[in-house]
Amino acid sequence: MNLPILEQVKRKQEPLTSKVKLDSFTKVAQDCFDFEFDGVNKFYPFEKPSKIPSDFSIGLIIGASGNGKSTLLKEFGEEEVPTWEYDKAVISHFGSKEEAIDRLNAVGLNSVPSWTKPYRVLSTGEKFRANLARQIKSGAVIDEFTSVVDRNVARSCRVAIRRYITKNELKGVVFCTCHNDIVEWLCPDWIFDADTGTLYDGRLLRQPTVELSLYETHYSSWELFKKHHYLNEGINKASKNFIVTWKEEIVGFILFDVDEDDSST
């Protein structure tokens, strides 16, 4: 990672331990892999970095599974897991209608029909974003950030989250993830790499430029987007239609109604 290094963080001298009963199954593991095991597992977590900026908006902990990310995250607070009422719509769980729309858009949950569903019927990715919409606040800690969503969806979510945090002047939000592709899009003030024990200064990071391409297309291309739009009516066959691509992937559809001199996306 080509960023200024703030600190090389050491692991604690006192380990975390867990103990299990020895049985025929643990013996198989020992015999197959020549592994000496007395029933006690020891793990040495990282110390909390001492050179984290005192006034930060976003911090990020990254690294492979098993390297102590989640354990370090607890040094910044406990993650709050929202509770959802069984027969209450997702959008109805916020303090105001304006707050609900602002937060749901901020996490990339932009499907209006999904707002009106109960949490229990959402997809895994939608549940992640709905939880995030209620969790995000100053001092929040978020584990497994974007781990259960498609990487393109994750990218758009990260950009929107950074915008929301900046707009609302939130402070001390710490995310934890095994995906390092979020760094340049989230633009955290500091990054801790649990794979190397290195604390980086991220305050010089800038989000990448997004270059889109626009192509005129046949009206039938609407079928690709119809299922993703809450307005599922047909479109005027006389309209002018365009698709938007990013990195050779179709990401948008634009319609210009030549009869009514109106447009929609």
Side-chain angles (χ1 to χ4, degrees):
M1 194 175 299
N2 190 24
L3 290 170
I5 295 177
L6 294 174
E7 183 182 0
Q8 281 298 141
V9 182
K10 298 179 180 179
R11 291 188 180 269
K12 295 180 179 179
Q13 295 184 349
E14 186 68 25
L16 299 175
T17 61
S18 60
K19 189 173 182 178
V20 299
K21 294 180 179 179
L22 296 175
D23 55 25
S24 60
F25 294 91
T26 59
K27 189 175 186 307
V28 168
Q30 289 179 265
D31 293 343
C32 289
F33 299 98
D34 194 23
F35 173 52
E36 293 186 10
F37 181 56
D38 61 0
V40 178
N41 290 283
K42 294 182 179 180
F43 177 75
Y44 293 84
F46 284 105
E47 297 178 351
K48 184 176 181 179
S50 62
K51 294 187 178 180
I52 289 176
S54 58
D55 183 30
F56 70 89
S57 295
I58 299 177
L60 178 64
I61 302 172
I62 60 173
S65 297
N67 277 356
K69 301 187 308 299
S70 296
T71 302
L72 179 60
L73 183 65
K74 292 179 180 178
E75 296 280 357
F76 298 90
E78 289 291 332
E79 182 175 22
E80 296 181 7
V81 180
T83 56
W84 299 86
E85 294 187 35
Y86 186 82
D87 58 351
K88 194 172 182 179
V90 167
I91 196 173
S92 302
H93 285 80
F94 297 86
S96 69
K97 295 180 285 293
E98 294 75 18
E99 178 193 18
I101 294 172
D102 196 24
R103 284 175 171 265
L104 291 169
N105 283 326
V107 299
L109 187 56
N110 302 316
S111 169
V112 175
S114 293
W115 295 358
T116 63
K117 296 176 182 177
Y119 175 83
R120 56 189 165 83
V121 305
L122 299 182
S123 68
T124 300
E126 288 176 326
K127 286 180 177 178
F128 162 77
R129 283 173 280 179
N131 282 326
L132 185 58
R134 294 184 61 193
Q135 288 173 306
I136 197 69
K137 64 178 182 179
S138 289
V141 295
I142 312 294
D143 202 359
E144 298 296 337
F145 182 55
T146 76
S147 294
V148 297
V149 294
D150 172 83
R151 302 322 297 161
N152 285 332
V153 172
R155 189 177 294 112
S156 64
C157 178
R158 296 187 295 266
V159 173
I161 279 290
R162 158 51 86 173
R163 188 180 301 119
Y164 180 86
I165 290 174
T166 300
K167 172 187 172 184
N168 292 279
E169 300 181 343
L170 303 186
K171 297 292 183 181
V173 183
V174 182
F175 297 97
C176 181
T177 183
C178 59
H179 295 286
N180 60 13
D181 63 348
I182 77 170
V183 173
E184 61 181 355
W185 297 95
L186 188 62
C187 290
D189 299 300
W190 57 264
I191 306 107
F192 178 74
D193 186 345
D195 294 336
T196 63
T198 308
L199 179 68
Y200 293 96
D201 189 341
R203 288 171 290 190
L204 296 179
L205 282 170
R206 296 293 179 270
Q207 288 179 346
T209 300
V210 177
E211 295 184 0
L212 303 176
S213 299
L214 185 69
Y215 302 95
E216 188 168 2
T217 186
H218 190 261
Y219 74 86
S220 60
S221 297
W222 169 244
E223 291 299 320
L224 295 172
F225 294 88
K226 184 178 179 180
K227 64 181 180 180
H228 301 295
H229 202 284
Y230 68 94
L231 296 177
N232 57 11
E233 299 174 355
I235 63 174
N236 187 344
K237 293 183 179 181
S239 61
K240 293 189 67 114
N241 307 284
F242 301 86
I243 57 172
V244 183
T245 66
W246 179 57
K247 293 186 176 181
E248 300 183 351
E249 289 190 29
I250 299 175
V251 296
F253 179 91
I254 297 175
L255 177 150
F256 180 74
D257 195 324
V258 295
D259 291 337
E260 300 178 5
D261 193 27
D262 191 13
S263 63
S264 62
T265 57

